[in-house]
Amino acid sequence: MHLANRAARLAVCSAVVLVAAAACAPEPEDKAAGKPATAASCPAGKLPTVASGKLTVGTDKPAYAPWFEDDNPANGKGFESAVAYAVAKQLGYPASQVTWQTVPFNSSFAPGAKKFDFDINQVSISDTRKKAVAFSSGYYDVRQAVVALKSSKAAKAKSVADLKDAKLGAQVGTTSLDFINDLVKPTQKPAVYQKNDFAKSALKNGQVDAIVVDLPTAFYITGAEVTDAEVVGQFENSGSAPEQFGLVLDKESELTSCVTGAVDALRKDGTLASLEKKWLSDAVDAPVLK
């Protein structure tokens, strides 16, 4: 779809090049994506989506709580499911016109064309990932947290230094793993798992002293899945800007500015805060590990 659109644009430019060559020069995609969204540039329900008249949203499977409920992204329950439908509505697509596609976490931000319009799966915005995909503005400010069995030595940690000798684990490709490698810098090589389910199993079986996940997931794990574990603490965000989850789009997507405009509108009118309160209320503060 994107190549066809680009080809069509170049064809138009060729047709009128003798009249207004400068005005018809193809605009770089990054600049186009960065333009503010307007009603004219984002016609409700009539965007150049993967499937005409439909909005295709990607996420991983299983779809974990509290981001989704009952492993069913389409039910509108859970923070990210609710955000996806709120964004869709803002773009002019009712729930009946939203379709879901299973996309493995690492595949969502890997290089290459995408078969979704946007993906929502706790993907943190980063400069490295921006080389391969586009992001909307952030829809959730996130902290990373440490979860350990109550009987583990890691459960007694009060600082980052206290985790230095612990065997830590995290899902591959996540900022959770980055925090282990770049901030904790443990003496033991961290265990890396394809999915959080595997990391949780390793924690439960005592194969690791602790795992690192985002804070809401940490509270869900200790409250519902590994009840003999506890949230040891959360890390401070590094840098001046908070870590944020963003909607992932194809690098060449024509929807980026429209999707960003929708997210910004939902933040401005209080919808995001309301959904966060409803679905992530259990993600209360945890001690900060410094």
Side-chain angles (χ1 to χ4, degrees):
M1 180 189 73
H2 303 299
L3 293 177
N5 288 344
R6 189 174 293 173
R9 196 161 94 190
L10 291 173
V12 172
C13 288
S14 299
V16 298
V17 67
L18 296 177
V19 180
C24 209
E27 186 178 20
E29 291 290 342
D30 286 346
K31 290 183 179 179
K35 283 184 176 180
T38 64
S41 61
C42 303
K46 297 180 180 180
L47 300 176
T49 52
V50 170
S52 181
K54 300 278 188 180
L55 190 69
T56 304
V57 183
T59 199
D60 204 352
K61 186 173 182 62
Y64 302 109
W67 311 105
F68 302 92
E69 282 199 358
D70 304 321
D71 192 21
N72 180 14
N75 64 15
K77 298 178 180 179
F79 179 70
E80 289 193 327
S81 179
V83 168
Y85 282 110
V87 170
K89 183 178 180 181
Q90 195 75 26
L91 294 173
Y93 295 88
S96 60
Q97 292 178 310
V98 176
T99 60
W100 289 85
Q101 182 183 86
T102 298
V103 181
F105 178 79
N106 281 341
S107 298
S108 66
F109 52 85
K114 306 303 179 189
K115 295 181 180 180
F116 53 75
D117 294 308
F118 67 76
D119 182 274
I120 183 166
N121 190 26
Q122 305 112 67
V123 181
S124 295
I125 301 168
S126 73
D127 290 337
T128 299
R129 290 171 178 170
K130 283 181 178 179
K131 294 176 182 177
V133 295
F135 281 96
S136 71
S137 53
Y139 62 86
Y140 179 69
D141 297 351
V142 66
R143 289 281 189 101
Q144 297 298 318
V146 179
V147 177
L149 293 180
K150 295 173 183 176
S151 58
S152 168
K153 61 181 180 181
K156 299 179 176 63
K158 303 296 181 185
S159 67
V160 173
D162 291 340
L163 296 168
K164 202 83 172 175
D165 296 325
K167 180 67 174 179
L168 304 175
Q171 184 178 350
V172 65
T174 59
T175 50
S176 302
L177 184 59
D178 292 340
F179 268 79
I180 293 175
N181 289 324
D182 301 337
L183 181 63
V184 181
K185 299 178 181 177
T187 56
Q188 301 182 63
K189 187 177 180 180
V192 182
Y193 304 96
Q194 281 298 116
K195 291 181 178 290
N196 263 338
D197 265 356
F198 302 150
K200 287 181 285 187
S201 294
L203 175 68
K204 194 171 185 177
N205 296 330
Q207 295 170 302
V208 292
D209 296 314
I211 61 174
V212 177
V213 294
D214 60 79
L215 190 57
T217 298
F219 277 100
Y220 181 78
I221 289 173
T222 57
E225 296 183 314
V226 188
T227 54
D228 54 345
E230 64 183 6
V231 179
V232 178
Q234 60 181 309
F235 295 119
E236 287 186 305
N237 275 317
S238 56
S240 56
E243 178 184 354
Q244 291 185 314
F245 291 156
L247 304 177
V248 182
L249 298 95
D250 190 293
K251 181 69 174 175
E252 310 297 338
S253 177
E254 298 174 50
L255 306 184
T256 302
S257 61
C258 298
V259 173
T260 287
V263 172
D264 290 345
L266 294 172
R267 184 178 291 278
K268 185 176 181 180
D269 70 12
T271 298
L272 291 180
S274 177
L275 293 177
E276 184 177 329
K277 183 177 180 180
K278 179 177 181 178
W279 296 108
L280 303 180
S281 59
D282 289 338
V284 296
D285 286 337
V288 176
L289 301 171
K290 296 183 178 181

